Amino acid sequence: MADSMAPQMAQAAPGDVPGTTKRDFLMLTTAAFAAVGVGGIVWPFVSSMAPARDVLALASTEVDISPIAAGQSVTVMWRGKPVFVRNRTEEEVREARSVPMSELKDPATDESRVKRDNWLVVVGVCTHLGCVPLGQKPTDAKGDYNGWFCPCHGSHYDTSARIRRGPAPSNLLVPDYAFTSDTMIRIG
């Protein structure tokens, strides 16, 4: 009777690891299934925190500059803001580079604002109250400095998009951009 009361030991089958039981195997299997289940539930929540495809598409934009003739400007949208891309003439570049720094409200050299002498890329939002300055179309008022003019409060920008007169506190912002080829610019 003493033998029938003794705890029964699991019999190891050939090839089993000594010291393991069926209970150990079941606990490991259950834990593995639970981990996979939790991962399956949590993954959709984690992936929903990533930016959507349309948001990622707005992060950068490519501009073909080959059709823009010297003296012309185009406006493209980037992150919901207008960006002015201007192919400046030699005269406009000369004008921008001849300005003494002492005359500028927000001093910046023309060379620090461009990556290639004739190409100027700026966010087309006035730094005073967020208006969109005129100067992109040939018929637009370009202000006293042949650049851009914000008619809302009278800010005048030069051919390097630097503030020259009016209430705007700073130059038009130069976004992060790069030339990906001789005819393409990637903004952002």
Side-chain angles (χ1 to χ4, degrees), residues 133-157:
L134 301 175
Q136 286 297 92
K137 298 177 187 170
T139 58
D140 282 351
K142 295 185 184 287
D144 295 344
Y145 301 94
N146 199 28
W148 289 270
F149 172 67
C150 186
C152 302
H153 300 99
S155 294
H156 296 254
Y157 297 91

Side-chain angles (χ1 to χ4, degrees), residues 14 20 47 56 59 61 91 120 124 148 155 168:
T20 59
S47 67
L56 289 174
T61 188
E91 178 60 31
L120 179 69
W148 289 270
S155 294

Side-chain angles (χ1 to χ4, degrees), residues 17-134:
V17 177
T20 59
T21 63
K22 254 187 187 178
R23 178 171 292 189
D24 292 338
F25 173 74
L26 289 174
M27 293 293 276
L28 261 168
T29 305
T30 304
F33 275 109
V36 169
V38 167
I41 291 170
V42 170
W43 182 257
F45 294 112
V46 171
S47 67
S48 73
M49 292 181 211
R53 285 189 186 128
D54 60 337
V55 172
L56 289 174
L58 291 174
S60 67
T61 188
E62 299 232 341
V63 181
D64 180 8
I65 58 173
S66 61
I68 307 170
Q72 283 187 319
S73 297
V74 296
T75 304
V76 296
M77 295 303 286
W78 171 66
R79 294 184 181 174
K81 297 176 188 166
V83 174
F84 300 159
V85 179
R86 180 178 279 187
N87 186 355
R88 302 184 301 173
T89 63
E90 288 181 22
E91 178 60 31
E92 289 174 324
V93 173
R94 245 189 327 275
E95 271 181 47
R97 297 200 172 164
S98 68
V99 177
M101 291 295 114
S102 61
E103 289 184 17
L104 298 174
K105 203 175 193 181
D106 182 13
T109 63
D110 181 63
E111 292 87 346
S112 69
R113 297 181 54 76
V114 297
K115 295 191 179 180
R116 293 191 183 166
D117 289 351
N118 60 316
W119 291 104
L120 179 69
V121 180
V122 293
V123 176
V125 176
C126 182
T127 57
H128 179 232
L129 291 176
C131 308
V132 177
L134 301 175

